[in-house]
Amino acid sequence: MNLMDKINETAQFLKDKGITVPAFGLILGSGLGELAGEIENAVSIDYADIPNWGRSTVVGHAGKLVYGDLAGRKVLALQGRFHFYEGNPMEVVTFPVRVMRALGCEGVIVTNAAGGVEYGPGTLMAISDHINLTGQNPLIGANLDEFGPRFPDMSDAYTKVYREKAHAVAEKLGVDLKEGVYLGVTGPTYETPAEIRAFQTLGASAVGMSTVPEVIVAAHSGLKVLGISAITNFAAGFQSELNHGEVVEVTERIKEDFKGLVKAILAEL
Ligand code: HPA
């Protein structure tokens, strides 16, 4: 089956389950999946039951799709995403974004845990732009003309109006929301200190192993994007060692702010 047929098959499957009018997609990163638990009138489906869908293998990622009402909006939330480092082809990593588009979403909120280059642990950062150092591009191959052009513009991939609303909402809530450039790598190794020094020179504020592929596919198909990074650690060389336990622990600490912020932003988008 070609990619377009797969997208249509999965979209139809989800429509048949009652997922009919999502306005926003929510991609919830490491430790941030709890927000899906607050969705009302929820339709919840295990990834394993969705045709053409990937499998989530990382600790802190539940592997469920949840549809329903959050902050007065119809959202389609992914509790756990697919990473390239898990061995998923880019087509699988970005498939949920295609399906969100096919179902009629107008925007996506993409979240992640990231290492801080400019900012320290516990910071929430609105992503203003990215640097793709994955060595990959999910749009390589035949272009899906139904979704967008062969050579998509990435000038406003992280939609400015969404970001401005996010800052206004954060200010109202008293949440300190920073802003910066997300540099995407494949992982699964954390970076070396030399790499982080190089990334700092390149203009990175934070570094992480997700988000870039999904945002490229979103931009291609005209989906508006709000990206939020939860900075869970200082990047390599700025602290003595890195481990996933710390990432999960810091996310635990900031998730209340995170959840409150995303809900309040959703109400305003
Ligand atoms: N590097 C890459 N990805 C990450 C990090 C990091 O330091 N922390 C959380 N995700």
Side-chain angles (χ1 to χ4, degrees), residues 28 64 71 74 102 106 144 149 161 179 187 191 200 212 251 260:
L28 301 169
K64 250 194 229 168
K74 287 276 182 221
E106 63 176 82
L144 292 187
V161 288
E179 179 163 321
E191 301 68 38
Q200 192 172 27
V212 162
T251 321

Side-chain angles (χ1 to χ4, degrees), residues 178-198:
K178 305 290 196 204
E179 179 163 321
V181 173
Y182 177 92
L183 186 146
V185 291
T186 64
T189 51
Y190 289 115
E191 301 68 38
T192 64
E195 285 166 346
I196 293 300
R197 286 194 299 275

Side-chain angles (χ1 to χ4, degrees), residues 74-117:
K74 287 276 182 221
V75 300
L76 179 57
L78 299 189
Q79 234 175 357
R81 59 148 60 81
F82 311 119
H83 301 86
F84 189 64
Y85 64 71
E86 293 173 272
N88 296 303
M90 278 295 176
E91 183 180 309
V92 171
V93 173
T94 58
F95 190 77
V97 179
R98 305 268 202 209
V99 171
M100 284 169 175
R101 185 52 164 162
L103 286 170
C105 286
E106 63 176 82
V108 287
I109 301 182
V110 185
T111 68
N112 58 56
V117 179

Side-chain angles (χ1 to χ4, degrees), residues 1 12 18 22 25 47 64 73 85-86 88-90 97 105 107 123 132 136 140 144 157 169 182 219 230 263:
M1 208 189 290
Q12 192 56 51
Y47 286 175
K64 250 194 229 168
R73 317 309 296 263
Y85 64 71
E86 293 173 272
N88 296 303
M90 278 295 176
V97 179
C105 286
T123 306
N132 178 8
Q136 307 286 327
I140 290 173
L144 292 187
V169 166
Y182 177 92
K263 280 189 290 183

Side-chain angles (χ1 to χ4, degrees), residues 18-41:
I19 300 176
T20 46
V21 286
F24 295 98
L26 268 182
I27 300 178
L28 301 169
S30 287
L32 303 171
E34 241 189 56
L35 187 56
E38 299 191 20
I39 293 174
E40 291 166 6
N41 309 312

